[in-house]
Amino acid sequence: MFRTKFIAVVIFAAIGVSACLNAKSTGFVIADSKTYEASLFRQNCAICHGPEANGRTLDDGKQVPSLRKADFKFRTEGEIYKQISGGGNGMPPFRDQLTDREIKLMVKFVHDDLRKNDQ
Ligand code: HEC
């Protein structure tokens, strides 16, 4: 009897801990988001940065960085804007594909939604 209860407690504790760990490592879930920014990301960025912006290795072996991890190259909103608008180092410029307003939305999306939970 005691044994069964003990095992049940251990199992529940394990489920609780793993739920917390999952929630922490995932942070903002792009797939669950119905915002305009999330759909722009899926259309324009996911092909390189991965569906959840965790980074990807492209077919030609090029490494595309995560937009969530803490060792960012560009930290300020201005720097992120420049990277999305002008591209560089393997990333295409988006100033002709997206409007200025859309680029600003993507800057907020990266800076506030994706990085907020992980930095
Ligand atoms: C063709 C592949 C490709 C696409 C599409 C792409 N990126 Fe990138 N992105 C890259 C690469 C490669 C880098 C690394 C550039 C560098 O190291 O300077 C990068 C870097 C970045 C960075 C800087 C990361 C840092 O460390 O600070 C941001 C922010 C970013 N991309 C956002 C976006 C957004 C938003 C979109 C969609 C509008 C997008 N990217 C689409 C390939 C891509």
Side-chain angles (χ1 to χ4, degrees):
M1 187 59 194
F2 171 76
R3 224 186 144 74
T4 327
K5 267 191 192 156
F6 179 72
I7 290 170
V9 166
V10 168
I11 290 172
F12 277 115
I15 291 171
V17 167
S18 75
C20 288
L21 291 177
N22 280 339
K24 199 169 187 312
S25 62
T26 323
F28 183 93
V29 181
I30 298 172
D32 288 349
S33 175
K34 302 211 172 3
T35 62
Y36 183 55
E37 299 88 290
S39 78
L40 281 180
F41 181 88
R42 285 189 283 268
Q43 286 165 36
N44 297 288
C45 323
I47 185 171
C48 287
H49 288 280
E52 288 299 327
N54 290 312
R56 259 194 79 205
T57 308
L58 302 183
D59 291 341
D60 62 6
K62 189 163 178 58
Q63 197 65 43
V64 181
S66 163
L67 299 181
R68 297 177 180 268
K69 267 194 314 163
D71 56 342
F72 308 118
K73 204 163 163 184
F74 306 110
R75 297 192 170 270
T76 67
E77 295 193 18
E79 288 169 339
I80 297 170
Y81 182 96
K82 251 179 82 185
Q83 174 68 19
I84 299 173
S85 172
N89 232 344
M91 176 161 155
F94 279 89
R95 67 171 90 77
D96 296 330
Q97 264 111 297
L98 302 176
T99 64
D100 186 57
R101 188 184 144 263
E102 287 171 333
I103 295 177
K104 284 181 181 146
L105 284 174
M106 295 316 290
V107 171
K108 288 267 174 217
F109 181 73
V110 171
H111 188 267
D112 297 347
D113 293 332
L114 298 182
R115 293 183 177 183
K116 180 181 57 190
N117 297 303
D118 298 274
Q119 64 190 344

